[in-house]
Amino acid sequence: MSSDNADSLVASDDPNHPANLICQLCRLFYHNGWVTGTGGGISIRKGDHIFIAPSGVQKERMLPDNMFVMDLETKEYLRMPKSLKPSACTPLFLAAYTNRNAGACIHTHSQNAVLISLLYDKVFTIANIEQIKALPKLTEPGYLGFFDTLTIPIIENTAHEEDLKDSLEQAIIDYPATTAVLVRRHGIYVWGETVWKAKVYNEAIDYLLELAVKMRQLGIPPDGAIGSERNTRVV
Amino acid sequence: MSSDNADSLVASDDPNHPANLICQLCRLFYHNGWVTGTGGGISIRKGDHIFIAPSGVQKERMLPDNMFVMDLETKEYLRMPKSLKPSACTPLFLAAYTNRNAGACIHTHSQNAVLISLLYDKVFTIANIEQIKALPKLTEPGYLGFFDTLTIPIIENTAHEEDLKDSLEQAIIDYPATTAVLVRRHGIYVWGETVWKAKVYNEAIDYLLELAVKMRQLGIPPDGAIGSERNTRVV
Amino acid sequence: MSSDNADSLVASDDPNHPANLICQLCRLFYHNGWVTGTGGGISIRKGDHIFIAPSGVQKERMLPDNMFVMDLETKEYLRMPKSLKPSACTPLFLAAYTNRNAGACIHTHSQNAVLISLLYDKVFTIANIEQIKALPKLTEPGYLGFFDTLTIPIIENTAHEEDLKDSLEQAIIDYPATTAVLVRRHGIYVWGETVWKAKVYNEAIDYLLELAVKMRQLGIPPDGAIGSERNTRVV
Amino acid sequence: MSSDNADSLVASDDPNHPANLICQLCRLFYHNGWVTGTGGGISIRKGDHIFIAPSGVQKERMLPDNMFVMDLETKEYLRMPKSLKPSACTPLFLAAYTNRNAGACIHTHSQNAVLISLLYDKVFTIANIEQIKALPKLTEPGYLGFFDTLTIPIIENTAHEEDLKDSLEQAIIDYPATTAVLVRRHGIYVWGETVWKAKVYNEAIDYLLELAVKMRQLGIPPDGAIGSERNTRVV
């Protein structure tokens, strides 16, 4: 495979080409405070090609030319930009592709995710909030209902990001209804069938994490029954 | 009616055409955090034509071509974009059009609205704040004064958004002076005589909801008499 | 004076022309949350001409053509846009022009200003914070120092904005070192020798108001001596 | 040296030229709330030339033509824009260039920095948070690990910014592993080998300062051992 050929993998006028979309979404996530300081990452799958943002770069300044491309079957890099390092998130992204047939995976250092990981033990749960309905049931077709409880597992962080792979895969197996895994004192991984679904799930989950922190600060349990807020209401 | 004819309902170079305005306002609301994760919705009326954003789409990426158009008299769709679902908010929007002759209706998942719905029981009230003056009296001409109390009813959420219709209509009847209804653990519906009035009312109300949450956190009652803050002041 | 002549008062290709600057700054203030819901206002003086944003319009959508122009000497309107109402802030802006020879005056509904007006009685004071140095001494040349105390008077709100004039003028007389007046449960008026100074003063004051609210929430007195935070420190 | 020659020091079509980059980054920092009200400053080194934003200007409106240029060896100004004042931060920037061979130095009035300087005594410490990994070890090659503790010294503020030089230099000597110094009740200085590294360090540190304030508000010690949050958890 020639170098020219590899470059053609990321060169496209189509704004929805994965190499272009990753740049566009990273700018959005940067301005949301999710990937500042080179934190976080994103990957999009197109057929058997996985596009991955490089490690340690400024997320809002990425260019399509910076993208790594991997073959999902062989796990070999089809394209490795010179002088850039592959993302340490790669094994984690692969876990979502392999175990869930995901179309994209987003990793952020959202402060809401970090705070929730400090306030909850093994799982984060929230119930009876309309925004929950943006998230899929997964174990059966359709979306969660207003009266359902959203449960997101929390795994312990490790010294090296790639070492999260085993516990993240275990969480994926143990929680077949989850489309996200929180990493304590670190952030969150969210995936979806397509890049747009992954983006929407990430937005909806971050909304719920932020709301849950605010509810806790007001003394209202985020997973309480409807009406339970009356007892803890700050009058 | 030909398909071409239906498409002409949403094709216009006028930036103030409802199909264009909905897209523009949804981008604004998205960046305010009111309609992330496909939450919320908006509808504008032009004569007997009601323009409605579709269900479950990314609000900041909508195009005029995505709009549903309904006839207010017959309640029949004049235009239904292929592969998109009508908004579940439609019956709620109709309630504002039918009962209040509204020109537009905005629905957000504002976290300020959700938090206030957890902190208050049947109604939210706030008094003696200048921003209240942006809101209409409705039961008589003119706007609320600084010394008036703004009252917004809170209804209980339902499993399916369309099932909110009866209680929302009841709230509209029971509170003839309100231009908004809060939905517990869900968000808010705000309407106005024109799209710009609906937008301004929504901004003013969200400002007041946010301020009320902050006042509660500081121990100051949002509907207290002027001077009451002295007793609860954090010195 | 012909209508054409009056229109020429606000038509200019110079981005620094008052009619253009007011529009530009209102967009900025809107996105800072200071003038949402048509709240707030701004006026710039150019020689004896006072340019004033109209009442009750969406601040981020204003056009130069919407501007009122008044003669400072005669207090007569040189230009009154049809179908728009003069700002109720006009007498307040005039107070700053007449009593302080201001070049511009900014009025916002900043939530930081409203909260501080609830937490303090007759005056807001903050000391020993670097940002104070952006504010002028006024009673002598130069700027406040790090060890100085910034004092901003707080006046009571009235039912009609124009009725604030007397108490605002009294505060201007009583506090010759202030370049701003807080209005309880309402917002703030800030003026300066030029529009840019007024803008910088407003930014610096709002920063200090926001910081003071946060300090109070952490139990740290904003006007405490250096080192006083040790006693109230949340360990 | 002719005036034309001096102007050529700051005139370039290259967006990455220091004079252009300073303007671009100041706009970004302004919208992050780090340099409002003319607060803060930035300097970039290119070889022996130091580019410095002027004192007391609106950071988001700076032009390349406003830049001061100093020779690092001789400490003489190669370019002094008329009617602008050199930044009082200049001796502080020089301390980073001289003692650490920095490529750029950023100074902000971040409220997170001010609040942390009120909550901590001699040093700010945070541990066991993933974002720490964006910061360099300095005393040996490579970056901090997840289990490492980030330590940033806090120096006392002085009446005149230039008088911070001695204590800032002492902190640089006393804390060879730090790439930043907090100034109590004032803000923060952050430097790096290149302008991009300084920017990333500043973003990562501000993220950690903000997170630490939130953790303190929730009763969780930012430098606590993993699991320590269980004891202080708000259940």
Side-chain angles (χ1 to χ4, degrees):
Chain A
M1 185 189 65
S2 76
S3 166
D4 288 347
N5 188 24
D7 283 355
S8 73
L9 288 171
V10 297
S12 169
D13 291 336
D14 179 3
N16 285 321
H17 184 282
N20 295 332
L21 264 188
I22 287 176
C23 299
Q24 181 193 336
L25 291 175
C26 278
R27 282 195 295 275
L28 176 67
F29 297 167
Y30 175 80
H31 290 290
N32 284 354
W34 291 336
V35 296
T36 58
T38 79
I42 180 169
S43 170
I44 299 177
R45 179 173 66 80
K46 187 182 177 187
D48 279 344
H49 289 180
I50 300 169
F51 295 78
I52 314 160
S55 171
V57 301
Q58 297 182 82
K59 293 291 179 290
E60 80 282 18
R61 289 168 191 273
M62 260 190 310
L63 300 171
D65 189 51
N66 302 151
M67 296 301 133
F68 285 74
V69 186
M70 180 182 272
D71 186 287
L72 180 56
E73 293 299 314
T74 63
K75 310 289 185 289
E76 283 177 12
Y77 282 105
L78 303 177
R79 183 173 194 271
M80 297 189 75
K82 284 175 200 158
S83 77
L84 289 174
K85 280 170 51 185
S87 172
C89 306
T90 305
L92 294 309
F93 295 147
L94 285 171
Y97 291 131
T98 305
N99 295 283
R100 290 293 186 85
N101 196 28
C105 191
I106 294 165
H107 169 49
T108 81
H109 286 189
S110 161
Q111 294 202 3
N112 299 317
V114 174
L115 291 173
I116 284 294
S117 81
L118 291 164
L119 290 170
Y120 287 79
D121 191 10
K122 300 293 184 194
V123 292
F124 164 67
T125 51
I126 188 166
N128 305 313
I129 299 290
E130 181 73 7
Q131 190 68 41
I132 291 171
K133 292 165 71 175
L135 294 161
K137 276 186 176 165
L138 293 184
T139 49
E140 52 182 303
Y143 288 83
L144 292 175
F146 171 64
F147 297 112
D148 289 332
T149 297
L150 173 71
T151 300
I152 302 178
I154 305 173
I155 62 175
E156 301 302 321
N157 200 26
T158 51
H160 301 289
E161 193 139 14
E162 51 269 36
D163 295 338
L164 286 171
K165 183 171 184 282
D166 287 350
S167 56
L168 188 124
E169 285 199 320
Q170 192 61 49
I172 287 176
I173 293 165
D174 292 346
Y175 295 87
T178 195
T179 193
V181 173
L182 285 155
V183 185
R184 192 163 346 263
R185 297 173 169 274
H186 180 157
I188 192 167
Y189 279 85
V190 183
W191 59 88
E193 307 91 297
T194 66
V195 61
W196 298 122
K197 291 206 175 184
K199 170 179 171 287
V200 166
Y201 298 163
N202 181 54
E203 283 178 4
I205 289 170
D206 203 78
Y207 170 104
L208 291 163
L209 296 171
E210 181 182 351
L211 184 67
V213 172
K214 292 177 184 171
M215 289 174 75
R216 293 286 287 253
Q217 285 173 320
L218 291 165
I220 301 167
D223 57 357
I226 295 173
S228 69
E229 67 270 19
R230 280 183 207 151
N231 305 321
T232 48
R233 204 174 271 167
V234 184
V235 185
Chain B
M1 184 188 64
S2 75
S3 167
D4 289 348
N5 188 23
D7 283 354
S8 73
L9 288 171
V10 297
S12 169
D13 291 336
D14 178 3
N16 284 321
H17 184 282
N20 295 331
L21 264 188
I22 287 176
C23 299
Q24 181 193 336
L25 290 175
C26 278
R27 281 195 296 274
L28 177 67
F29 297 168
Y30 175 80
H31 290 290
N32 284 354
W34 291 336
V35 297
T36 57
T38 79
I42 180 170
S43 170
I44 299 177
R45 180 173 66 81
K46 186 182 177 187
D48 278 345
H49 290 181
I50 301 169
F51 295 77
I52 315 160
S55 171
V57 300
Q58 297 183 83
K59 293 291 179 291
E60 81 281 19
R61 289 168 192 273
M62 261 191 309
L63 300 172
D65 189 52
N66 302 150
M67 296 301 134
F68 285 75
V69 186
M70 181 182 270
D71 186 288
L72 179 56
E73 293 300 314
T74 65
K75 309 287 185 293
E76 283 177 12
Y77 283 106
L78 303 176
R79 183 172 193 272
M80 297 189 74
K82 284 175 200 159
S83 77
L84 288 174
K85 279 169 53 183
S87 171
C89 306
T90 305
L92 294 310
F93 294 147
L94 284 171
Y97 291 131
T98 305
N99 295 283
R100 290 293 185 86
N101 196 29
C105 190
I106 294 165
H107 169 47
T108 82
H109 287 188
S110 161
Q111 294 202 4
N112 299 317
V114 174
L115 291 173
I116 284 295
S117 82
L118 292 164
L119 290 170
Y120 288 78
D121 192 9
K122 299 293 183 195
V123 292
F124 163 68
T125 52
I126 188 166
N128 306 313
I129 299 291
E130 181 73 6
Q131 191 68 39
I132 291 171
K133 291 165 71 175
L135 293 161
K137 275 187 176 166
L138 294 184
T139 50
E140 53 182 301
Y143 288 82
L144 292 175
F146 170 65
F147 297 113
D148 289 331
T149 297
L150 173 71
T151 300
I152 302 178
I154 305 173
I155 62 175
E156 301 302 321
N157 201 25
T158 51
H160 301 289
E161 193 140 14
E162 50 268 35
D163 295 337
L164 287 171
K165 182 170 185 282
D166 287 351
S167 56
L168 188 125
E169 285 199 319
Q170 193 62 47
I172 288 177
I173 293 165
D174 292 347
Y175 295 87
T178 194
T179 193
V181 173
L182 285 155
V183 185
R184 193 164 346 263
R185 297 172 168 275
H186 180 155
I188 191 167
Y189 279 85
V190 182
W191 59 87
E193 307 90 296
T194 66
V195 61
W196 297 122
K197 291 205 175 184
K199 171 179 171 285
V200 166
Y201 298 164
N202 182 54
E203 283 178 5
I205 290 170
D206 204 77
Y207 170 104
L208 291 163
L209 297 170
E210 181 183 352
L211 184 67
V213 172
K214 292 177 184 170
M215 289 173 75
R216 292 286 287 254
Q217 285 173 321
L218 290 165
I220 301 167
D223 56 358
I226 295 173
S228 69
E229 67 269 18
R230 279 182 209 153
N231 304 321
T232 49
R233 204 173 272 166
V234 185
V235 185
Chain C
M1 184 189 62
S2 77
S3 167
D4 289 347
N5 188 25
D7 283 354
S8 73
L9 288 171
V10 297
S12 169
D13 291 336
D14 179 2
N16 284 322
H17 184 282
N20 294 332
L21 263 188
I22 287 176
C23 299
Q24 180 192 337
L25 290 175
C26 278
R27 281 195 295 274
L28 176 67
F29 297 168
Y30 174 80
H31 290 289
N32 284 354
W34 290 337
V35 296
T36 57
T38 78
I42 180 169
S43 170
I44 299 177
R45 179 173 66 81
K46 187 181 176 187
D48 279 345
H49 290 180
I50 301 168
F51 295 77
I52 315 160
S55 171
V57 300
Q58 296 182 84
K59 294 291 179 290
E60 81 282 18
R61 288 167 192 274
M62 261 191 309
L63 299 172
D65 189 52
N66 302 150
M67 296 302 133
F68 286 74
V69 186
M70 180 183 270
D71 185 288
L72 179 56
E73 293 299 314
T74 64
K75 309 287 185 290
E76 283 177 12
Y77 283 105
L78 304 176
R79 183 172 193 273
M80 297 189 75
K82 283 175 201 160
S83 77
L84 288 174
K85 279 169 52 184
S87 171
C89 305
T90 305
L92 294 309
F93 294 147
L94 284 172
Y97 291 130
T98 305
N99 295 283
R100 290 294 185 84
N101 196 29
C105 191
I106 294 165
H107 168 48
T108 82
H109 286 189
S110 161
Q111 294 201 4
N112 299 317
V114 174
L115 291 173
I116 284 295
S117 82
L118 292 164
L119 290 170
Y120 287 79
D121 191 11
K122 300 293 184 195
V123 292
F124 164 68
T125 51
I126 188 166
N128 305 312
I129 299 291
E130 181 74 7
Q131 190 68 40
I132 291 170
K133 291 165 70 175
L135 294 161
K137 275 188 176 165
L138 294 184
T139 50
E140 52 182 302
Y143 288 82
L144 292 175
F146 171 66
F147 297 113
D148 289 331
T149 297
L150 172 72
T151 300
I152 302 178
I154 305 173
I155 63 175
E156 302 301 322
N157 201 26
T158 51
H160 301 289
E161 193 140 13
E162 51 267 37
D163 295 338
L164 287 171
K165 182 171 185 282
D166 287 352
S167 56
L168 188 126
E169 285 199 319
Q170 193 61 48
I172 287 176
I173 293 165
D174 292 347
Y175 295 86
T178 195
T179 194
V181 173
L182 285 154
V183 185
R184 192 164 345 263
R185 296 171 168 275
H186 180 156
I188 192 166
Y189 279 85
V190 183
W191 60 87
E193 307 90 296
T194 66
V195 60
W196 298 122
K197 291 206 175 184
K199 170 178 171 287
V200 166
Y201 298 164
N202 181 54
E203 283 179 4
I205 289 170
D206 204 76
Y207 170 104
L208 291 163
L209 296 170
E210 182 182 352
L211 184 68
V213 172
K214 292 178 184 170
M215 289 174 74
R216 292 286 286 255
Q217 286 173 320
L218 290 165
I220 300 167
D223 57 356
I226 295 173
S228 70
E229 67 270 19
R230 280 182 208 154
N231 305 320
T232 49
R233 204 173 272 167
V234 185
V235 185
Chain D
M1 184 189 62
S2 77
S3 167
D4 288 347
N5 188 24
D7 283 355
S8 74
L9 288 171
V10 297
S12 169
D13 291 336
D14 179 2
N16 285 321
H17 185 282
N20 295 332
L21 264 188
I22 287 176
C23 299
Q24 181 193 338
L25 291 175
C26 278
R27 281 194 296 274
L28 176 67
F29 297 169
Y30 174 81
H31 290 290
N32 284 353
W34 290 336
V35 296
T36 58
T38 78
I42 180 169
S43 170
I44 299 176
R45 180 173 66 80
K46 187 182 177 187
D48 278 345
H49 290 179
I50 301 168
F51 296 77
I52 315 159
S55 171
V57 300
Q58 297 181 84
K59 295 290 179 288
E60 80 281 18
R61 289 168 191 274
M62 259 190 311
L63 299 172
D65 189 52
N66 302 152
M67 296 302 133
F68 286 74
V69 186
M70 180 182 271
D71 186 287
L72 179 57
E73 293 300 314
T74 65
K75 309 287 183 293
E76 284 177 12
Y77 282 105
L78 303 176
R79 183 172 192 272
M80 297 188 75
K82 284 176 199 159
S83 76
L84 288 174
K85 280 169 52 183
S87 171
C89 306
T90 305
L92 293 309
F93 294 148
L94 284 171
Y97 291 131
T98 305
N99 294 284
R100 289 293 186 85
N101 196 28
C105 191
I106 294 165
H107 169 49
T108 82
H109 286 189
S110 163
Q111 294 201 5
N112 300 317
V114 175
L115 291 173
I116 284 294
S117 82
L118 292 163
L119 290 170
Y120 287 79
D121 192 10
K122 300 293 183 195
V123 292
F124 163 68
T125 50
I126 188 165
N128 305 313
I129 299 290
E130 181 73 7
Q131 190 68 40
I132 291 170
K133 291 165 70 175
L135 294 160
K137 275 187 177 164
L138 294 184
T139 49
E140 53 181 301
Y143 288 83
L144 292 175
F146 170 65
F147 297 113
D148 289 332
T149 296
L150 172 72
T151 300
I152 302 178
I154 306 173
I155 63 174
E156 302 301 323
N157 201 25
T158 51
H160 301 289
E161 193 140 14
E162 51 268 35
D163 295 338
L164 286 171
K165 183 171 185 282
D166 287 351
S167 55
L168 188 124
E169 285 200 319
Q170 193 61 49
I172 288 176
I173 293 165
D174 292 347
Y175 295 86
T178 195
T179 193
V181 173
L182 285 155
V183 185
R184 192 164 347 263
R185 297 172 168 273
H186 180 158
I188 191 167
Y189 279 85
V190 182
W191 60 87
E193 307 90 297
T194 66
V195 60
W196 297 122
K197 292 207 174 184
K199 171 179 172 286
V200 165
Y201 298 165
N202 182 54
E203 283 178 5
I205 290 171
D206 204 78
Y207 170 104
L208 291 163
L209 297 171
E210 181 183 352
L211 184 68
V213 172
K214 292 177 184 171
M215 289 173 75
R216 294 286 286 252
Q217 285 173 321
L218 291 165
I220 300 167
D223 57 356
I226 295 173
S228 69
E229 67 271 18
R230 282 184 207 152
N231 305 321
T232 49
R233 204 173 272 167
V234 184
V235 186

